[in-house]
Amino acid sequence: MSASGIRPGRRGRSVVTGLGVVAPTGIGAARHWESVLAGKSGLGRITRFDPTGYPVRVAGEVPGFRAGEQVPGRLVPQTDRFTHFALAAAEDALADAAADPATLPEYEMAVVTASSSGGTEFGQHEMENLYQKGSSWVGAYQSIAWFYAATTGQVSIRHGMRGPCGVICGEQAGGLDALGQSRRLLDTGSRLVLSGGTDASLCPYGLVAQMSTGRLSTEDDPARAYLPFDAAASGFVPGEGGAVLVVEQADAARARGVPAYGELRGYAAGFDPTADGTAARHSVLVSVVRRALADAGLAPGDIDMVFADASGTLAEDLAEARAITEVFGPGGVPVTAPKTLTGRLYAGGAALDVATALLALSAGVVPHTAGLGRTAPGCEIDLVLDRPRQTDPRTALVLARGHGGFTSALVLGAGDRDARTK
Amino acid sequence: MAEFTLDDIRRILRASAGVDEQTDLDGEHFADTAFVDLGYDSLALLELVNRIEREYGIQIPDGDLAHTQTPREALSYVHARLTEAHV
């Protein structure tokens, strides 16, 4: 019996059959993937509020999201934007997987999302009501809109998924942890899990809270503001959005006759209590990567591409590059970070990276990291720059680190769904 | 005394708790359909109470409006409170 309560040897295969994406690179998996291949950035000066006077003025905003059209009407005033994103993405993911929850046993479906900021924008509005007008002006829905599990709860209610639902708060690593938890649930009686994560904290309250980490870029030029692994790295750009994925038992997906983007083959998580901007270590990440590979039953040489966490701060980038080099050897595996197009999406970031990696496996392409200049000295990794590589990757490793020390890795294998024909 | 009508209940529900394709606030049976069947839960009623208190300057003790089942019952309760407030 392992710490997760699941006996070794009982593990079935977990596959991803549906993707829902709401990201600065576009709404919908297809549009997002087009932007990734084209290197089309979603970064720009903040428009959701006037950023003049704030030290951080560049962000990745989701273009053209209209809650009134993409979210059930009643839930628009009752929930925060991060929940709006997830409701829209969940709808898309289920449609993409051709899964109709009404036809599946309600207690065998679950929802596990990652959350990082909670309903910040909703909360800011209600706090303004409180200090400007008084307590009777604070809306009743603040009580359910702000908290981390709000998205999981609303998605669960919306689709009648009454299995073991939950939320995981692991900052930028949370998306991988949610998928790891989904895989556990599929081994303990669930057949379909909606998982992933979204975040939407591009309001003054959300931004100021994040600024205290000292890692956000104050660069004003969107093309220069987020340059991970680059000699000119200046921190990261915050973004909003994320992805929701339909994760199923492979047998259940086969019985439904739907193809899979790929398989969740291995997962591991660790925690580095010493993590901070000046003393980032690589040893925890090394051990997490090795345990994820062992969980997948794969050797380093079996991995065809790595999606990096790509912190954008020099010390953390070097620590990640060293960890990758220690496991795979210098230049031993193609490394990419398409998140330069979106910024770091907090709870949505790792979920979107997994969606991107699955689209890459389906398309047989290693997407590139757009916009970088000169790689920082000491980064001995094979960074995929300038253009995608058509090398037909069959496996991917996704890395994610969350503020404070969360460290996670997920190994993906190719499925039988061909994105090129979509 | 401020006018308070079924239209005010519709307006407040729309703004505070929202509507969707399952909600028919303009149907002929609106007034006599239970709030729960219109899709409004206890939070929606709490929000309704808050907004009526603010707009009409009356106090509605906690839970009072929750005992009303339909918009018509809520309407007559609010009318009674408004009358009291202006005696």
Side-chain angles (χ1 to χ4, degrees), chain A residues 137-163:
Chain A
W137 290 80
V138 176
Y141 287 105
Q142 165 67 3
S143 61
I144 61 163
W146 78 270
F147 77 129
Y148 307 111
T151 288
T152 285
Q154 295 292 359
V155 172
S156 157
I157 293 166
R158 175 76 180 155
H159 297 292
M161 299 181 166
R162 311 182 84 173

PDB file of all heavy atoms in Angstrom, chain A residues 137-163:
ATOM      1  N   TRP A 137     -23.885  46.076   1.567  1.00  0.00           N
ATOM      2  CA  TRP A 137     -23.693  46.095   0.109  1.00  0.00           C
ATOM      3  C   TRP A 137     -22.832  44.935  -0.390  1.00  0.00           C
ATOM      4  O   TRP A 137     -22.624  44.775  -1.585  1.00  0.00           O
ATOM      5  CB  TRP A 137     -23.078  47.433  -0.333  1.00  0.00           C
ATOM      6  CG  TRP A 137     -24.052  48.557  -0.197  1.00  0.00           C
ATOM      7  CD1 TRP A 137     -24.359  49.225   0.957  1.00  0.00           C
ATOM      8  CD2 TRP A 137     -24.871  49.117  -1.223  1.00  0.00           C
ATOM      9  NE1 TRP A 137     -25.326  50.157   0.706  1.00  0.00           N
ATOM     10  CE2 TRP A 137     -25.658  50.126  -0.627  1.00  0.00           C
ATOM     11  CE3 TRP A 137     -25.014  48.876  -2.594  1.00  0.00           C
ATOM     12  CZ2 TRP A 137     -26.568  50.875  -1.346  1.00  0.00           C
ATOM     13  CZ3 TRP A 137     -25.924  49.630  -3.306  1.00  0.00           C
ATOM     14  CH2 TRP A 137     -26.695  50.611  -2.689  1.00  0.00           C
ATOM     15  N   VAL A 138     -22.300  44.164   0.541  1.00  0.00           N
ATOM     16  CA  VAL A 138     -21.489  43.017   0.115  1.00  0.00           C
ATOM     17  C   VAL A 138     -22.440  41.909  -0.341  1.00  0.00           C
ATOM     18  O   VAL A 138     -23.329  41.498   0.398  1.00  0.00           O
ATOM     19  CB  VAL A 138     -20.599  42.515   1.264  1.00  0.00           C
ATOM     20  CG1 VAL A 138     -19.834  41.257   0.843  1.00  0.00           C
ATOM     21  CG2 VAL A 138     -19.630  43.619   1.685  1.00  0.00           C
ATOM     22  N   GLY A 139     -22.244  41.443  -1.571  1.00  0.00           N
ATOM     23  CA  GLY A 139     -23.157  40.467  -2.151  1.00  0.00           C
ATOM     24  C   GLY A 139     -23.074  39.113  -1.477  1.00  0.00           C
ATOM     25  O   GLY A 139     -21.998  38.687  -1.036  1.00  0.00           O
ATOM     26  N   ALA A 140     -24.222  38.434  -1.415  1.00  0.00           N
ATOM     27  CA  ALA A 140     -24.269  37.123  -0.775  1.00  0.00           C
ATOM     28  C   ALA A 140     -23.392  36.109  -1.506  1.00  0.00           C
ATOM     29  O   ALA A 140     -22.840  35.194  -0.892  1.00  0.00           O
ATOM     30  CB  ALA A 140     -25.713  36.619  -0.738  1.00  0.00           C
ATOM     31  N   TYR A 141     -23.237  36.299  -2.815  1.00  0.00           N
ATOM     32  CA  TYR A 141     -22.479  35.298  -3.579  1.00  0.00           C
ATOM     33  C   TYR A 141     -20.980  35.356  -3.342  1.00  0.00           C
ATOM     34  O   TYR A 141     -20.243  34.451  -3.728  1.00  0.00           O
ATOM     35  CB  TYR A 141     -22.804  35.405  -5.071  1.00  0.00           C
ATOM     36  CG  TYR A 141     -24.184  34.883  -5.346  1.00  0.00           C
ATOM     37  CD1 TYR A 141     -25.239  35.743  -5.597  1.00  0.00           C
ATOM     38  CD2 TYR A 141     -24.443  33.517  -5.290  1.00  0.00           C
ATOM     39  CE1 TYR A 141     -26.521  35.263  -5.789  1.00  0.00           C
ATOM     40  CE2 TYR A 141     -25.714  33.025  -5.494  1.00  0.00           C
ATOM     41  CZ  TYR A 141     -26.753  33.898  -5.736  1.00  0.00           C
ATOM     42  OH  TYR A 141     -28.015  33.414  -5.921  1.00  0.00           O
ATOM     43  N   GLN A 142     -20.519  36.432  -2.668  1.00  0.00           N
ATOM     44  CA  GLN A 142     -19.104  36.461  -2.278  1.00  0.00           C
ATOM     45  C   GLN A 142     -18.756  35.201  -1.488  1.00  0.00           C
ATOM     46  O   GLN A 142     -17.667  34.652  -1.609  1.00  0.00           O
ATOM     47  CB  GLN A 142     -18.824  37.728  -1.442  1.00  0.00           C
ATOM     48  CG  GLN A 142     -17.507  37.731  -0.670  1.00  0.00           C
ATOM     49  CD  GLN A 142     -16.274  37.775  -1.571  1.00  0.00           C
ATOM     50  OE1 GLN A 142     -16.382  37.867  -2.776  1.00  0.00           O
ATOM     51  NE2 GLN A 142     -15.089  37.677  -0.975  1.00  0.00           N
ATOM     52  N   SER A 143     -19.738  34.714  -0.696  1.00  0.00           N
ATOM     53  CA  SER A 143     -19.457  33.567   0.178  1.00  0.00           C
ATOM     54  C   SER A 143     -19.093  32.319  -0.607  1.00  0.00           C
ATOM     55  O   SER A 143     -18.360  31.470  -0.108  1.00  0.00           O
ATOM     56  CB  SER A 143     -20.680  33.284   1.067  1.00  0.00           C
ATOM     57  OG  SER A 143     -21.807  32.953   0.267  1.00  0.00           O
ATOM     58  N   ILE A 144     -19.579  32.196  -1.841  1.00  0.00           N
ATOM     59  CA  ILE A 144     -19.230  30.984  -2.604  1.00  0.00           C
ATOM     60  C   ILE A 144     -18.382  31.275  -3.834  1.00  0.00           C
ATOM     61  O   ILE A 144     -17.885  30.355  -4.465  1.00  0.00           O
ATOM     62  CB  ILE A 144     -20.495  30.198  -3.049  1.00  0.00           C
ATOM     63  CG1 ILE A 144     -21.370  31.049  -3.967  1.00  0.00           C
ATOM     64  CG2 ILE A 144     -21.276  29.706  -1.840  1.00  0.00           C
ATOM     65  CD1 ILE A 144     -22.376  30.227  -4.758  1.00  0.00           C
ATOM     66  N   ALA A 145     -18.210  32.538  -4.197  1.00  0.00           N
ATOM     67  CA  ALA A 145     -17.476  32.847  -5.434  1.00  0.00           C
ATOM     68  C   ALA A 145     -15.974  32.931  -5.227  1.00  0.00           C
ATOM     69  O   ALA A 145     -15.209  32.657  -6.130  1.00  0.00           O
ATOM     70  CB  ALA A 145     -17.976  34.170  -6.019  1.00  0.00           C
ATOM     71  N   TRP A 146     -15.538  33.330  -4.019  1.00  0.00           N
ATOM     72  CA  TRP A 146     -14.121  33.641  -3.850  1.00  0.00           C
ATOM     73  C   TRP A 146     -13.261  32.401  -3.671  1.00  0.00           C
ATOM     74  O   TRP A 146     -12.103  32.396  -4.035  1.00  0.00           O
ATOM     75  CB  TRP A 146     -13.897  34.527  -2.614  1.00  0.00           C
ATOM     76  CG  TRP A 146     -13.949  33.754  -1.320  1.00  0.00           C
ATOM     77  CD1 TRP A 146     -15.047  33.522  -0.561  1.00  0.00           C
ATOM     78  CD2 TRP A 146     -12.878  33.050  -0.681  1.00  0.00           C
ATOM     79  NE1 TRP A 146     -14.723  32.733   0.510  1.00  0.00           N
ATOM     80  CE2 TRP A 146     -13.409  32.425   0.468  1.00  0.00           C
ATOM     81  CE3 TRP A 146     -11.512  32.904  -0.978  1.00  0.00           C
ATOM     82  CZ2 TRP A 146     -12.620  31.646   1.328  1.00  0.00           C
ATOM     83  CZ3 TRP A 146     -10.731  32.121  -0.115  1.00  0.00           C
ATOM     84  CH2 TRP A 146     -11.290  31.506   1.023  1.00  0.00           C
ATOM     85  N   PHE A 147     -13.824  31.328  -3.092  1.00  0.00           N
ATOM     86  CA  PHE A 147     -12.916  30.322  -2.530  1.00  0.00           C
ATOM     87  C   PHE A 147     -12.422  29.339  -3.574  1.00  0.00           C
ATOM     88  O   PHE A 147     -12.952  29.219  -4.660  1.00  0.00           O
ATOM     89  CB  PHE A 147     -13.528  29.648  -1.301  1.00  0.00           C
ATOM     90  CG  PHE A 147     -14.580  28.608  -1.574  1.00  0.00           C
ATOM     91  CD1 PHE A 147     -14.484  27.357  -0.988  1.00  0.00           C
ATOM     92  CD2 PHE A 147     -15.650  28.882  -2.381  1.00  0.00           C
ATOM     93  CE1 PHE A 147     -15.442  26.398  -1.212  1.00  0.00           C
ATOM     94  CE2 PHE A 147     -16.620  27.924  -2.609  1.00  0.00           C
ATOM     95  CZ  PHE A 147     -16.515  26.672  -2.018  1.00  0.00           C
ATOM     96  N   TYR A 148     -11.326  28.645  -3.199  1.00  0.00           N
ATOM     97  CA  TYR A 148     -10.565  27.855  -4.167  1.00  0.00           C
ATOM     98  C   TYR A 148     -11.396  26.758  -4.808  1.00  0.00           C
ATOM     99  O   TYR A 148     -11.224  26.427  -5.971  1.00  0.00           O
ATOM    100  CB  TYR A 148      -9.325  27.268  -3.486  1.00  0.00           C
ATOM    101  CG  TYR A 148      -8.499  28.324  -2.801  1.00  0.00           C
ATOM    102  CD1 TYR A 148      -8.405  28.403  -1.419  1.00  0.00           C
ATOM    103  CD2 TYR A 148      -7.849  29.281  -3.567  1.00  0.00           C
ATOM    104  CE1 TYR A 148      -7.674  29.403  -0.804  1.00  0.00           C
ATOM    105  CE2 TYR A 148      -7.112  30.293  -2.973  1.00  0.00           C
ATOM    106  CZ  TYR A 148      -7.030  30.341  -1.593  1.00  0.00           C
ATOM    107  OH  TYR A 148      -6.309  31.340  -1.003  1.00  0.00           O
ATOM    108  N   ALA A 149     -12.313  26.162  -4.045  1.00  0.00           N
ATOM    109  CA  ALA A 149     -13.091  25.043  -4.569  1.00  0.00           C
ATOM    110  C   ALA A 149     -14.319  25.493  -5.365  1.00  0.00           C
ATOM    111  O   ALA A 149     -15.086  24.660  -5.838  1.00  0.00           O
ATOM    112  CB  ALA A 149     -13.523  24.123  -3.433  1.00  0.00           C
ATOM    113  N   ALA A 150     -14.504  26.802  -5.524  1.00  0.00           N
ATOM    114  CA  ALA A 150     -15.708  27.305  -6.206  1.00  0.00           C
ATOM    115  C   ALA A 150     -15.846  26.708  -7.603  1.00  0.00           C
ATOM    116  O   ALA A 150     -16.930  26.302  -8.018  1.00  0.00           O
ATOM    117  CB  ALA A 150     -15.670  28.828  -6.284  1.00  0.00           C
ATOM    118  N   THR A 151     -14.737  26.658  -8.320  1.00  0.00           N
ATOM    119  CA  THR A 151     -14.792  26.151  -9.693  1.00  0.00           C
ATOM    120  C   THR A 151     -15.155  24.678  -9.720  1.00  0.00           C
ATOM    121  O   THR A 151     -16.054  24.257 -10.463  1.00  0.00           O
ATOM    122  CB  THR A 151     -13.439  26.384 -10.385  1.00  0.00           C
ATOM    123  OG1 THR A 151     -13.315  27.784 -10.636  1.00  0.00           O
ATOM    124  CG2 THR A 151     -13.345  25.624 -11.689  1.00  0.00           C
ATOM    125  N   THR A 152     -14.482  23.876  -8.906  1.00  0.00           N
ATOM    126  CA  THR A 152     -14.805  22.449  -8.853  1.00  0.00           C
ATOM    127  C   THR A 152     -16.282  22.260  -8.522  1.00  0.00           C
ATOM    128  O   THR A 152     -16.987  21.471  -9.168  1.00  0.00           O
ATOM    129  CB  THR A 152     -13.925  21.738  -7.804  1.00  0.00           C
ATOM    130  OG1 THR A 152     -12.612  21.594  -8.349  1.00  0.00           O
ATOM    131  CG2 THR A 152     -14.469  20.361  -7.468  1.00  0.00           C
ATOM    132  N   GLY A 153     -16.774  22.993  -7.539  1.00  0.00           N
ATOM    133  CA  GLY A 153     -18.161  22.848  -7.113  1.00  0.00           C
ATOM    134  C   GLY A 153     -19.144  23.205  -8.223  1.00  0.00           C
ATOM    135  O   GLY A 153     -20.092  22.465  -8.494  1.00  0.00           O
ATOM    136  N   GLN A 154     -18.923  24.337  -8.875  1.00  0.00           N
ATOM    137  CA  GLN A 154     -19.861  24.768  -9.923  1.00  0.00           C
ATOM    138  C   GLN A 154     -19.824  23.822 -11.121  1.00  0.00           C
ATOM    139  O   GLN A 154     -20.863  23.522 -11.720  1.00  0.00           O
ATOM    140  CB  GLN A 154     -19.548  26.209 -10.367  1.00  0.00           C
ATOM    141  CG  GLN A 154     -19.751  27.268  -9.286  1.00  0.00           C
ATOM    142  CD  GLN A 154     -21.210  27.474  -8.898  1.00  0.00           C
ATOM    143  OE1 GLN A 154     -22.122  26.848  -9.441  1.00  0.00           O
ATOM    144  NE2 GLN A 154     -21.437  28.358  -7.936  1.00  0.00           N
ATOM    145  N   VAL A 155     -18.646  23.352 -11.489  1.00  0.00           N
ATOM    146  CA  VAL A 155     -18.547  22.417 -12.628  1.00  0.00           C
ATOM    147  C   VAL A 155     -19.219  21.098 -12.264  1.00  0.00           C
ATOM    148  O   VAL A 155     -19.925  20.493 -13.074  1.00  0.00           O
ATOM    149  CB  VAL A 155     -17.069  22.207 -13.040  1.00  0.00           C
ATOM    150  CG1 VAL A 155     -16.948  21.099 -14.075  1.00  0.00           C
ATOM    151  CG2 VAL A 155     -16.487  23.505 -13.588  1.00  0.00           C
ATOM    152  N   SER A 156     -19.015  20.662 -11.026  1.00  0.00           N
ATOM    153  CA  SER A 156     -19.634  19.427 -10.552  1.00  0.00           C
ATOM    154  C   SER A 156     -21.161  19.533 -10.592  1.00  0.00           C
ATOM    155  O   SER A 156     -21.850  18.632 -11.074  1.00  0.00           O
ATOM    156  CB  SER A 156     -19.144  19.140  -9.125  1.00  0.00           C
ATOM    157  OG  SER A 156     -20.048  18.308  -8.451  1.00  0.00           O
ATOM    158  N   ILE A 157     -21.695  20.656 -10.106  1.00  0.00           N
ATOM    159  CA  ILE A 157     -23.149  20.849 -10.108  1.00  0.00           C
ATOM    160  C   ILE A 157     -23.665  20.919 -11.542  1.00  0.00           C
ATOM    161  O   ILE A 157     -24.650  20.285 -11.902  1.00  0.00           O
ATOM    162  CB  ILE A 157     -23.513  22.138  -9.328  1.00  0.00           C
ATOM    163  CG1 ILE A 157     -23.190  21.967  -7.841  1.00  0.00           C
ATOM    164  CG2 ILE A 157     -24.987  22.483  -9.533  1.00  0.00           C
ATOM    165  CD1 ILE A 157     -23.189  23.275  -7.060  1.00  0.00           C
ATOM    166  N   ARG A 158     -22.962  21.685 -12.355  1.00  0.00           N
ATOM    167  CA  ARG A 158     -23.388  21.911 -13.736  1.00  0.00           C
ATOM    168  C   ARG A 158     -23.539  20.593 -14.504  1.00  0.00           C
ATOM    169  O   ARG A 158     -24.456  20.422 -15.294  1.00  0.00           O
ATOM    170  CB  ARG A 158     -22.353  22.810 -14.427  1.00  0.00           C
ATOM    171  CG  ARG A 158     -22.571  23.041 -15.907  1.00  0.00           C
ATOM    172  CD  ARG A 158     -23.692  24.017 -16.137  1.00  0.00           C
ATOM    173  NE  ARG A 158     -23.930  24.250 -17.564  1.00  0.00           N
ATOM    174  CZ  ARG A 158     -25.088  24.658 -18.061  1.00  0.00           C
ATOM    175  NH1 ARG A 158     -26.103  24.878 -17.248  1.00  0.00           N
ATOM    176  NH2 ARG A 158     -25.243  24.855 -19.338  1.00  0.00           N
ATOM    177  N   HIS A 159     -22.609  19.662 -14.280  1.00  0.00           N
ATOM    178  CA  HIS A 159     -22.604  18.432 -15.078  1.00  0.00           C
ATOM    179  C   HIS A 159     -23.034  17.196 -14.291  1.00  0.00           C
ATOM    180  O   HIS A 159     -22.898  16.080 -14.784  1.00  0.00           O
ATOM    181  CB  HIS A 159     -21.225  18.224 -15.714  1.00  0.00           C
ATOM    182  CG  HIS A 159     -20.868  19.322 -16.673  1.00  0.00           C
ATOM    183  ND1 HIS A 159     -21.530  19.500 -17.874  1.00  0.00           N
ATOM    184  CD2 HIS A 159     -19.964  20.325 -16.601  1.00  0.00           C
ATOM    185  CE1 HIS A 159     -21.033  20.559 -18.494  1.00  0.00           C
ATOM    186  NE2 HIS A 159     -20.090  21.075 -17.749  1.00  0.00           N
ATOM    187  N   GLY A 160     -23.533  17.407 -13.067  1.00  0.00           N
ATOM    188  CA  GLY A 160     -24.029  16.273 -12.291  1.00  0.00           C
ATOM    189  C   GLY A 160     -22.968  15.246 -11.981  1.00  0.00           C
ATOM    190  O   GLY A 160     -23.222  14.044 -12.020  1.00  0.00           O
ATOM    191  N   MET A 161     -21.767  15.727 -11.676  1.00  0.00           N
ATOM    192  CA  MET A 161     -20.660  14.817 -11.370  1.00  0.00           C
ATOM    193  C   MET A 161     -20.494  14.755  -9.860  1.00  0.00           C
ATOM    194  O   MET A 161     -19.981  15.683  -9.242  1.00  0.00           O
ATOM    195  CB  MET A 161     -19.379  15.312 -12.041  1.00  0.00           C
ATOM    196  CG  MET A 161     -19.529  15.348 -13.550  1.00  0.00           C
ATOM    197  SD  MET A 161     -18.045  15.909 -14.368  1.00  0.00           S
ATOM    198  CE  MET A 161     -18.420  15.431 -16.063  1.00  0.00           C
ATOM    199  N   ARG A 162     -20.943  13.647  -9.262  1.00  0.00           N
ATOM    200  CA  ARG A 162     -21.050  13.590  -7.809  1.00  0.00           C
ATOM    201  C   ARG A 162     -20.052  12.642  -7.172  1.00  0.00           C
ATOM    202  O   ARG A 162     -20.211  12.225  -6.037  1.00  0.00           O
ATOM    203  CB  ARG A 162     -22.473  13.218  -7.423  1.00  0.00           C
ATOM    204  CG  ARG A 162     -23.487  14.072  -8.162  1.00  0.00           C
ATOM    205  CD  ARG A 162     -24.887  13.766  -7.756  1.00  0.00           C
ATOM    206  NE  ARG A 162     -25.243  14.492  -6.552  1.00  0.00           N
ATOM    207  CZ  ARG A 162     -26.458  14.535  -6.028  1.00  0.00           C
ATOM    208  NH1 ARG A 162     -27.436  13.851  -6.592  1.00  0.00           N
ATOM    209  NH2 ARG A 162     -26.701  15.216  -4.947  1.00  0.00           N
ATOM    210  N   GLY A 163     -19.026  12.262  -7.923  1.00  0.00           N
ATOM    211  CA  GLY A 163     -17.965  11.419  -7.364  1.00  0.00           C
ATOM    212  C   GLY A 163     -17.053  12.239  -6.464  1.00  0.00           C
ATOM    213  O   GLY A 163     -17.392  13.355  -6.063  1.00  0.00           O
TER     214      GLY A 163
END
